Amino acid sequence: MQSVILQPCGDSDANKHFVDTVQSPVPVARIVKHLSDEQARQLQPILGRRPTIPVWGVTPGKREVNFHKWQRIAIGDIAFFSRSGGVFATSTVAQKLHNKALALDLWQTNADGETWEYVYFLDEIKYVNIPYLRFNRAAEYQDKYVIQGFNVLGAEVSNRVLDVLDLRSERYQPAVEQLQFRTAVETAIANIDATDAPQITSARVEQGYLRKHLFQNDVLGQCCMCGRQLPVDLLVASHIKKRSECAREERLDYQHVVAPMCLMGCDALFERGYVVVKDGGRIVRGRVEVSTEALEANLARMVDRQCASWTPLSAKYFAWHRNRFVGR
């Protein structure tokens, strides 16, 4: 699950670092010269697509207290940057590594001779205005609480904060094991009519696993309908057969029942039956009862293309969708 990282920026060092390496992202060329071959391979999915990237880091801290907290950071966690008054920016963790040489290049050392060598790379910077009172009530802290040190919040508090403030990442997904996915599906089916927290949590785990399956850790993906390559936060893990109509075995058949579709028209047009996929994978017009010039332009991006997600094993799900709208 996504955790919340508290990162105060009230002192002069932290404030300067935010300006120098978050607000002004670091050139990738400056980063890669400090990486080992293994680290370069680890970072390639996020560095290979961009010229710059925001970077943050923490010192080891007394008795390595910060190091142990940093170890709990995972891809998809949300960093909250705060100073007087509240949280002023949030960002998503794209990757992390330990690299003292990079930290020295970016930030030198503090008064104690330490550098911010436990590094994490950021994406999806959002400038926000979340007063401490609002944050505290989302976290269920006392109203006068002030963020004073680097910390990684536990799952329960993080979920409350991210849900109340609506700050989850769609681009980066935390790791979900297959057993967790299966358990989430079972829980969702057992609570099919419920709208309580277990059902919401199960749906979140299921969706995270499906997105991880489709997009891995890449920042770009391809829509199976129009073929356009897009940032993954503009793509959804769309159920070919409507999720609520899927039997247990079909929900678990994630390799074939979900497909990447874009939010720039394809997902909505497929879901509503304006396009369907024939046996063999060709995309054709579906049920178009009222048309406009704008709609026809969107349909033209897909019609007569080969659907990239059609296979003999996904064919039955596309057939279900086709039969739902055009009866054949």
Side-chain angles (χ1 to χ4, degrees):
M1 305 304 294
Q2 291 173 321
S3 296
V4 169
I5 304 165
L6 302 183
Q7 190 61 73
C9 291
D11 67 45
S12 58
D13 279 344
N15 190 58
K16 183 177 187 303
H17 295 173
F18 185 88
V19 172
D20 290 346
T21 64
V22 177
Q23 190 171 309
S24 302
V26 180
V28 168
R30 186 177 178 185
I31 295 168
V32 297
K33 66 184 181 181
H34 296 294
L35 303 180
S36 67
D37 290 344
E38 176 58 32
Q39 288 177 333
R41 283 192 294 271
Q42 181 183 1
L43 293 179
Q44 197 282 329
I46 63 165
L47 297 186
R49 306 276 191 189
R50 66 184 87 205
T52 63
I53 189 168
V55 188
W56 195 255
V58 295
T59 63
K62 293 181 179 179
R63 299 180 183 176
E64 296 193 323
V65 62
N66 289 344
F67 161 66
H68 293 299
K69 293 175 182 177
W70 175 87
Q71 283 187 306
R72 306 204 314 265
I73 294 175
I75 292 171
D77 288 352
I78 310 298
F80 281 42
F81 293 93
S82 64
R83 54 190 173 214
S84 58
V87 178
F88 69 91
T90 67
S91 189
T92 308
V93 176
Q95 191 52 273
K96 70 175 186 177
L97 56 78
H98 177 226
N99 192 308
K100 190 170 184 176
L102 174 60
L104 286 168
D105 182 14
L106 297 179
W107 305 300
Q108 293 80 54
T109 61
N110 64 15
D112 296 324
E114 294 181 311
T115 192
W116 295 262
E117 61 196 84
Y118 293 101
V119 176
Y120 53 100
F121 298 87
L122 300 170
D123 201 356
E124 301 180 307
I125 305 292
K126 297 183 179 73
Y127 293 97
V128 298
N129 181 15
I130 304 172
Y132 277 131
L133 182 62
R134 186 180 176 206
F135 169 81
N136 291 339
R137 293 188 174 175
E140 298 183 7
Y141 290 167
Q142 294 199 3
D143 285 354
K144 293 186 178 180
Y145 174 80
V146 174
I147 298 171
Q148 293 183 324
F150 166 67
N151 202 4
V152 181
L153 302 185
E156 185 177 345
V157 178
S158 293
N159 281 332
R160 282 201 303 268
V161 170
L162 294 175
D163 286 344
V164 171
L165 300 179
D166 191 22
L167 286 170
R168 292 186 182 277
S169 171
E170 291 296 332
R171 183 176 296 177
Y172 296 93
Q173 297 295 322
V176 176
E177 300 297 329
Q178 189 173 49
L179 178 60
Q180 292 175 283
F181 167 69
R182 294 179 68 89
T183 300
V185 170
E186 301 283 3
T187 301
I189 291 172
N191 297 277
I192 193 69
D193 296 321
T195 57
D196 57 4
Q199 180 76 339
I200 294 169
T201 300
S202 296
R204 186 184 299 133
V205 171
E206 184 179 352
Q207 183 62 201
Y209 186 83
L210 297 177
R211 289 186 64 82
K212 197 75 168 181
H213 161 66
L214 290 176
F215 309 123
Q216 301 303 314
N217 289 329
D218 209 340
V219 296
L220 299 178
Q222 185 176 41
C223 175
C224 73
M225 300 298 286
C226 66
R228 288 177 290 185
Q229 191 175 53
L230 296 164
V232 296
D233 54 349
L234 292 177
L235 296 164
V236 295
S238 181
H239 276 75
I240 302 164
K241 180 176 180 179
K242 191 174 177 66
R243 179 175 176 269
S244 61
E245 299 287 338
C246 285
R248 171 185 176 277
E249 294 75 16
E250 293 172 327
R251 292 265 290 267
L252 293 173
D253 187 22
Y254 62 90
Q255 300 97 326
H256 309 114
V257 76
V258 295
M261 297 189 193
C262 75
L263 293 169
M264 296 172 68
C266 294
D267 177 61
L269 293 175
F270 181 84
E271 182 181 352
R272 291 161 178 77
Y274 284 84
V275 289
V276 297
V277 178
K278 298 194 70 173
D279 282 338
R282 188 166 68 92
I283 302 169
V284 299
R285 293 170 69 92
R287 188 177 64 193
V288 183
E289 296 166 346
V290 178
S291 188
T292 67
E293 184 178 340
L295 173 59
E296 292 299 328
N298 260 3
L299 292 174
R301 293 183 181 276
M302 291 177 277
V303 170
D304 289 330
R305 285 184 53 85
Q306 182 73 12
C307 175
S309 291
W310 187 94
T311 70
L313 293 174
S314 65
K316 62 182 180 180
Y317 301 120
F318 283 108
W320 180 93
H321 173 267
R322 185 172 65 250
N323 293 335
R324 180 181 179 87
F325 291 105
V326 300
R328 62 185 187 278

